[in-house]
Amino acid sequence: MIEQAGLELRVQRRTDPAPANTVIDINRPPNSSVKKGFTVTIVVSSGPAQTKSELYPALRVSNFRFG
């Protein structure tokens, strides 16, 4: 719809508490007027930041000996 209206679309991703793929921001308020060629930027959540333990949950050392 944005492109059909003669506008440009730019999508940015940002870590956010919102679920992944949720639109969390847009550079224009709803129902505002813009000229053809205006770039509409939407910001999409990439989901919450992951901790190291979430990135590597299965790393475990067992039966390891030195010497």
Side-chain angles (χ1 to χ4, degrees):
M1 290 173 51
I2 289 173
E3 291 169 342
Q4 289 175 346
L7 305 173
E8 300 292 323
L9 175 63
R10 185 170 76 194
V11 178
Q12 296 178 340
R13 292 197 160 270
R14 180 169 62 203
T15 301
D16 191 87
N21 302 316
T22 301
V23 175
I24 55 174
D25 198 12
I26 189 167
N27 66 333
R28 294 299 296 182
N31 301 317
S32 60
S33 297
V34 295
K35 294 181 181 181
K36 285 193 180 224
F38 180 82
T39 299
V40 176
T41 303
I42 61 172
V43 181
V44 178
S45 172
S46 57
Q50 293 181 329
T51 64
K52 287 183 181 181
S53 62
E54 291 171 328
L55 293 173
Y56 306 104
L59 288 180
R60 199 178 334 161
V61 177
S62 60
N63 296 328
F64 187 82
R65 296 180 192 198
F66 286 100

